[in-house]
Amino acid sequence: MTSTKTTGRAARHEARLLWAANPGLFALLEAARHTGPITRVPRLGWVVTDPVLARHVLNDHAAFGMNGEGGVGHLWTQLFGDEMAQFFGGARHAEIRTRARDLFTEDAAQALVKRSQGPSHAVLAGRLAAGETVDVADAARVLAGRMVADLLGLAADRRDDAYRELFGAGERLARLAMGTTASTDLDSGVVARARSIVDEITAGVAHAYRTAGPHTLLGRCRDMDLGLPLARGLATLLVIAGTETGVSGTVRTVALLHDTGRQRALLDDPSLMDNAVREGLRVATPAPVIGRHVNRDASVGGRRLRAGERVLLLTYRATNGAGPFDPHREYVPETRQLWFGGGRHLCLGAAVARTQVARMLATLLSGGRPYRIVSRRAARGVLVPAYAELSVRRG
Ligand code: HEM
């Protein structure tokens, strides 16, 4: 069993990450330990901490939407225009997801991660075997950039620094959304700054939209005749959705496995890998809050929500109620995979995310011996809580 001492240590490191990322969010998550399953908070709106109620909101697409004050679609539409709103609701959204589905299956995810990250994993394993110290956070940022470039159909053969820059630009763009917990209305200065970061992120998109193969996301956008502006919006969404959360989930799972003293369990029984990945993502819940706009009056957990209000689903609280990281924990039915959201907008990249975490753990444990964390640093002032640095060495 996991000892109280090790779970306490893991929890302290996690708490420090959340606080460094955003002290306001940390305070909200702490306060929410003591609120009921759904409660109304002045200036913020409705706050939900119960996993079943959170899924209820995510599944009720008529009452709760992504567009409009409180939903993430509202932010994207201010950057990319009304057409982008179509991606976040309605028939266009369903069509795009259907046409892209085969790029995100378990098999496609395995192939994508192997193709885009395999050579880097081999280098990483070699460095660890040679006794070197490796910064897993830096490695994961480069790997995520490589994966997303490959998936989109952008140039995938660049130097590591190009992917560090791509990740950094995504992080800066996501940071602009940090002031939006109370309102998703962006002022014109923020929109201008965001657009200039988007220009950086999408520098290669016009070329890829014309030339990328049919098995890439931008090639699919062209086949669907989405037009360049919407393709740019979707490419930016993929860079944000596919890198920040993926890196956070990967690196925090590496830390949780270490801090809870569970590496030996995984080395002795590799069939626990899927559980370890699921537990890492559950406990880390890299997207700790999901927002929705109330489209029409609705009842949730016995409370009456009115059209025009907003709801914050504190997924981090909802998933962590099941207890600390434990690779022997069975699947938790109430929680399901709430860290990937739910309903129509359930994370499209879930299989990619899981595969990336599993590949990283397998690489770190490839010598048959546990790794040791030699130093770590939390990222400050970021939307997605993450390690800026997590240096490990073998044995
Ligand atoms: C551990 C890593 C990840 C986590 C925790 C995560 C979490 C989420 C969550 C919670 C949502 C739903 C947001 C909402 O309903 O408002 C979402 C949506 C999405 N995610 Fe992920 N994600 C991860 C990795 C990825 C990766 C690697 C990709 C791409 C390769 C990706 C692509 C997407 C896309 C495209 C959407 C929008 C889906 C839609 O609106 O239909 N995600 N993700």
Side-chain angles (χ1 to χ4, degrees):
M1 283 303 283
T2 310
S3 79
T4 317
K5 194 171 156 201
T6 54
T7 54
R9 179 174 67 183
R12 277 194 300 281
H13 282 302
E14 271 291 305
R16 206 167 298 150
L17 278 193
L18 292 169
W19 185 81
N22 183 349
L25 172 69
F26 176 75
L28 176 62
L29 291 172
E30 283 303 303
R33 286 179 189 275
H34 313 291
T35 59
I38 173 163
T39 188
R40 195 176 180 159
V41 177
R43 292 196 318 118
L44 287 185
W46 293 97
V47 170
V48 177
T49 57
D50 177 79
V52 177
L53 294 187
R55 218 176 19 259
H56 169 103
V57 169
L58 291 170
N59 280 321
D60 187 346
H61 304 285
F64 303 101
M66 279 198 158
N67 292 319
E69 170 60 52
V72 73
H74 185 216
L75 293 173
W76 288 96
T77 304
Q78 290 168 81
L79 290 187
F80 292 98
D82 286 343
E83 223 190 335
M84 194 71 189
Q86 294 175 14
F87 173 72
F88 289 101
R92 202 68 190 273
H93 173 257
E95 185 199 354
I96 294 173
R97 277 192 74 121
T98 306
R99 297 278 294 263
R101 187 162 294 148
D102 64 303
L103 300 177
F104 292 96
T105 60
E106 292 290 336
D107 285 352
Q110 297 275 348
L112 170 68
V113 170
K114 192 168 174 194
R115 189 172 65 232
S116 60
Q117 303 186 341
S120 308
H121 276 295
V123 171
L124 213 55
R127 289 181 57 199
L128 286 164
E132 282 185 42
T133 297
V134 167
D135 179 358
V136 179
D138 177 64
R141 290 191 285 265
V142 173
L143 289 171
R146 289 193 178 280
M147 177 278 293
V148 101
D150 183 310
L151 180 62
L152 284 167
L154 298 172
D157 53 357
R158 290 179 283 168
R159 293 159 54 89
D160 285 357
D161 274 344
Y163 302 105
R164 286 191 183 97
E165 277 162 27
L166 185 66
F167 182 92
E171 198 172 57
R172 276 184 282 131
L173 185 60
R175 191 176 281 144
L176 292 180
M178 279 180 69
T180 61
T181 313
S183 167
T184 47
D185 260 325
L186 299 175
D187 71 43
S188 57
V190 172
V191 171
R193 283 210 299 284
R195 290 206 171 124
S196 102
I197 302 173
V198 169
D199 288 346
E200 267 179 64
I201 293 177
T202 60
V205 167
H207 176 72
Y209 184 71
R210 284 196 310 274
T211 58
H215 295 296
T216 65
L217 214 57
L218 285 168
R220 276 303 149 82
C221 289
R222 181 188 59 239
D223 292 349
M224 292 172 68
D225 214 8
L226 286 187
L228 187 55
L230 188 53
R232 281 182 82 230
L234 289 180
T236 311
L237 175 68
L238 245 287
V239 169
I240 301 280
T243 61
E244 314 294 316
T245 47
V247 169
S248 167
T250 302
V251 184
R252 286 161 78 188
T253 303
V254 169
L256 283 163
L257 187 68
H258 170 276
D259 296 339
T260 54
R262 307 315 303 266
Q263 291 186 71
R264 189 39 72 192
L266 191 53
L267 282 165
D268 290 347
D269 181 2
S271 75
L272 289 177
M273 180 60 93
D274 287 354
N275 275 15
V277 171
R278 188 179 61 230
E279 278 290 286
L281 294 179
R282 178 182 67 79
V283 172
T285 304
V289 181
I290 298 179
R292 286 291 187 268
H293 178 77
V294 184
N295 290 334
R296 66 178 194 208
D297 292 3
S299 287
V300 177
R303 309 296 297 268
R304 193 82 187 135
L305 281 57
R306 302 282 174 201
E309 293 181 323
R310 63 209 311 271
V311 193
L312 293 178
L313 310 175
L314 301 193
T315 42
Y316 187 85
R317 262 295 138 258
T319 57
N320 273 278
F325 175 91
D326 180 358
H328 285 106
R329 188 187 302 284
E330 296 293 332
Y331 173 78
V332 182
E334 299 78 41
T335 308
R336 291 202 204 159
Q337 295 205 51
L338 200 51
W339 47 95
F340 286 129
R344 252 181 224 164
H345 295 279
L346 179 74
C347 177
L348 202 50
V352 177
R354 284 193 300 263
T355 308
Q356 287 189 119
V357 182
R359 286 299 309 140
M360 180 59 90
L361 292 182
T363 297
L364 295 181
L365 296 173
S366 58
R369 279 188 294 149
Y371 51 87
R372 189 162 54 86
I373 296 180
V374 293
S375 65
R376 68 176 99 199
R377 189 162 43 86
R380 295 199 169 274
V382 283
L383 181 71
V384 176
Y387 281 103
E389 180 217 336
L390 187 86
S391 293
V392 308
R393 65 192 307 166
R394 190 158 284 164

